[in-house]
């Protein structure tokens, strides 16, 4: 590792972004922030600029950029303010940048993450949607440029840590039998199925173990998050769907496991705090302090495990189905899910209709093979259109 790493943080105003800056602030001698990006939270982005004095701050639209620019000038900071997705791509591939934290939420994070991969950066990948939508293109870009890819999702980070250090993408060759992907089961693991109809966004976002953004919190409640993670694990570790077992583990202490042919199962444990995988990736291959409280096994007392219930969690079934179908199917699944979750959060779709809508869209759009990014973007746009049509039709019927 270079003595001082220059870092761009995509999505610095979100949960992962804030946690990344928290770890960086603990090691001012090791990291320098080159660029920060946000969308709606201009005040938070300004405060981050004051604290870390990056060269660039990027927001999505010109109105946000104007507001941020005015505050930055008033404060006498030197940070240059840019806007638009092209600018987010630019700060992901600047020559002075060593590492990019890809922590924008949803499909919006795909293009800047891909540009960082093509530029051969060290990529700390939180945006799982990038791999779900365009896994083959992204992994090929990483291979071609020689980029270093470090997973931030706590489960994939755990698997990465439990894999042999020289893992080269061949499970059998490394003596690996299965990947055991743990899941908390979210806030609705135990509530009666009849009550799922009326759950509110607030209930869905109240995760028992993790503090996360609203979209991923709803994904955890439907277990679509785990489904997306199955697809993510497939691409990261070249693992077929049949060799990825989802294990419900309500305490979220074991973050995932790797089972070997000799019967060994290697697990990574820790408190549910995203600063652990973030610090792992920032420091890699060294270990740095994350500021996380030590794991107290006596206080935890017990660790429980259950099989996933595909009736309660149809989104998990749909994600396995999309992975097995392949091609553009996972991108369609992801786009339909993003529209469904946004509608649920806006009060325009009941919780139980989320999987119904996704299944409808998957049936409507035939999977195509993916060779270039445009194949993915076309499927993504089609799926969003179909999903939005379905919602307007059903909202109209309800009115
Ligand atoms: N949170 C977790 O514990 C966790 C764990 C594992 C993986 N992840 C993954 O990490 C990613 C980020 O999750 P999060 O929980 O940090 O989400 P979040 O709190 O909602 O933050 C999302 C970030 O993306 C920015 N953003 C939103 N829409 C954008 C757009 N259209 N263009 C550019 N930027 C946009 C947001 O800006 P503003 O806030 O300024 O609007 C914010 O900086 C997701 O892909 C998630 O699946 C999260």
């Amino acid at each position: 590792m270079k003595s001082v790493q220059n870092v761009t943080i995509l999505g610095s105003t979100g949960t992962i972004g804030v946690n990344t800056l928290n770890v960086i602030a603990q090691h001012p001698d090791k990291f320098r922030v080159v660029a920060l990006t946000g969308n709606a939270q201009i005040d938070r982005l300004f405060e981050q600029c004051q604290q870390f004095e990056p060269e660039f701050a990027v927001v999505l639209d010109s109105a946000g950029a104007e507001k941020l620019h005015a505050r930055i000038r008033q404060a006498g900071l030197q940070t240059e303010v840019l806007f638009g997705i092209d600018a987010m791509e630019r700060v992901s591939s600047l020559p002075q940048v060593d590492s990019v934290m890809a922590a924008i939420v949803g499909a919006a994070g795909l293009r800047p993450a891909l540009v960082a991969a093509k530029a051969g950066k060290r990529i700390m990948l939180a945006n799982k949607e990038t791999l779900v939508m365009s896994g083959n293109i992204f992994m090929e870009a990483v291979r071609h440029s020689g980029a270093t890819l470090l997973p931030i999702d706590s489960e994939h980070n755990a698997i990465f840590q439990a894999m042999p250090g020289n893992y080269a993408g061949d499970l059998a060759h490394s003596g690996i039998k299965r990947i055991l992907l743990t899941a908390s089961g979210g806030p609705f693991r135990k509530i009666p199925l009849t009550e799922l109809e009326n759950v509110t966004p607030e209930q869905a976002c109240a995760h028992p173990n993790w503090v996360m953004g609203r979209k991923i919190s709803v994904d955890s409640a439907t277990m679509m998050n785990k489904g997306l993670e199955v697809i993510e694990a497939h691409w990261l570790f070249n693992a077929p769907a049949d060799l990825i077992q989802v294990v419900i583990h309500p305490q979220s202490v074991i973050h995932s496991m790797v089972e070997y042919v000799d019967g060994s199962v290697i697990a990574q444990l820790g408190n549910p705090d995203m600063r652990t995988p973030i610090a792992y990736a920032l420091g890699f291959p060294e270990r740095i302090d994350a500021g996380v409280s030590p794991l107290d096994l006596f206080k935890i007392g017990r660790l429980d495990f259950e099989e996933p219930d595909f009736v309660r969690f149809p989104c998990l079934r749909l994600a396995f189905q999309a992975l097995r179908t392949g091609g553009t199917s996972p991108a369609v699944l992801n786009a339909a899910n993003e529209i469904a979750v946004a509608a649920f959060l806006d009060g325009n779709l009941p919780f139980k209709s989320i999987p119904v809508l996704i299944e409808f869209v998957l049936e409507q759009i035939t999977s195509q093979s993916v060779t270039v990014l445009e194949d993915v973007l076309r499927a993504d746009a089609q799926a969003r259109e179909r999903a939005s049509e379905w919602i307007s039709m059903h909202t109209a019927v309800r009115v």
Side-chain angles (χ1 to χ4, degrees), residues 10-17 19 37-42 44 60 85 88 102-106 108-109 125-129 152-155 210-216 219 225 229 274:
L10 301 167
S12 66
T13 49
T15 315
I16 295 291
N19 277 305
T37 85
N39 178 24
Q41 299 193 73
I42 303 296
R44 178 174 274 180
L60 199 58
I85 205 77
M88 293 190 189
I104 291 173
V105 64
L125 189 68
N127 177 273
K128 61 193 85 186
E129 294 87 350
I152 292 297
D153 236 324
S154 58
E155 294 78 0
W210 297 95
V211 179
M212 305 184 285
R214 280 167 75 77
K215 192 263 178 183
I216 185 176
D219 285 349
N225 183 49
E229 288 179 8
M274 286 307 294

Side-chain angles (χ1 to χ4, degrees), residues 249-265:
H249 165 48
Q251 289 90 355
S252 299
V253 166
I254 296 181
H255 298 305
S256 277
M257 299 169 259
V258 176
E259 182 181 344
Y260 287 84
V261 286
D262 61 4
S264 302
V265 176

Side-chain angles (χ1 to χ4, degrees), residues 68-339:
L68 182 64
H69 179 77
R71 296 196 65 184
I72 285 199
R73 285 296 155 264
Q74 203 179 18
L77 299 173
Q78 297 304 311
T79 303
E80 188 178 336
V81 179
L82 308 169
F83 70 91
I85 205 77
D86 289 349
M88 293 190 189
E89 290 186 10
R90 185 178 153 206
V91 298
S92 304
S93 53
L94 291 167
Q96 68 268 41
V97 167
D98 303 304
S99 301
V100 175
M101 168 59 77
I104 291 173
V105 64
L110 167 61
R111 278 181 42 190
L114 188 57
V115 164
K118 286 184 178 160
K121 303 298 183 195
R122 173 190 174 103
I123 305 152
M124 301 175 273
L125 189 68
N127 177 273
K128 61 193 85 186
E129 294 87 350
T130 294
L131 282 174
V132 171
M133 293 174 70
S134 64
N136 61 341
I137 294 173
F138 186 79
M139 293 307 286
E140 181 48 36
V142 167
R143 271 189 294 272
H144 190 256
S145 69
T148 303
L149 179 57
L150 298 163
I152 292 297
D153 236 324
S154 58
E155 294 78 0
H156 306 77
N157 190 271
I159 296 162
F160 188 84
Q161 294 192 46
M163 287 267 183
N166 59 356
Y167 181 67
D170 186 341
L171 292 183
H173 189 74
S174 299
I176 296 167
K177 201 169 166 188
R178 275 190 313 172
I179 286 173
L180 304 172
L181 193 70
T182 56
S184 70
F188 304 141
R189 186 172 59 91
K190 289 283 184 206
I191 82 166
L193 286 177
T194 48
E195 285 177 27
L196 275 183
E197 186 65 50
N198 299 317
V199 296
T200 63
E202 284 59 44
Q203 285 172 294
C205 289
H207 196 279
N209 306 333
W210 297 95
V211 179
M212 305 184 285
R214 280 167 75 77
K215 192 263 178 183
I216 185 176
S217 296
V218 177
D219 285 349
S220 296
T222 60
M223 280 197 78
M224 177 57 92
N225 183 49
K226 208 48 54 182
L228 299 178
E229 288 179 8
V230 168
I231 302 172
E232 187 184 6
H234 161 76
W235 288 113
L236 279 172
F237 306 112
N238 195 26
D242 293 343
L243 299 190
I244 305 170
Q245 171 70 58
V246 174
V247 179
I248 306 270
H249 165 48
Q251 289 90 355
S252 299
V253 166
I254 296 181
H255 298 305
S256 277
M257 299 169 259
V258 176
E259 182 181 344
Y260 287 84
V261 286
D262 61 4
S264 302
V265 176
I266 300 187
Q268 185 260 355
L269 285 74
N271 282 322
D273 187 325
M274 286 307 294
R275 288 177 300 172
T276 295
I278 289 168
Y280 179 87
L282 279 169
F284 184 83
E286 290 166 23
R287 297 270 180 177
I288 59 170
D289 195 344
V292 173
S293 53
L295 182 65
D296 186 343
L297 286 171
F298 299 118
K299 207 164 145 195
I300 292 159
R302 54 184 276 181
L303 300 174
D304 297 305
F305 305 98
E306 295 164 17
E307 270 190 59
D309 176 348
F310 287 96
V311 175
R312 180 178 288 271
F313 298 114
C315 283
L316 186 57
R317 170 179 61 77
L318 293 172
F320 267 105
Q321 180 189 309
L323 173 57
R324 290 195 169 99
T325 305
T328 51
S329 206
V332 169
L333 171 99
N334 179 67
N337 180 55
E338 284 191 22
I339 297 291

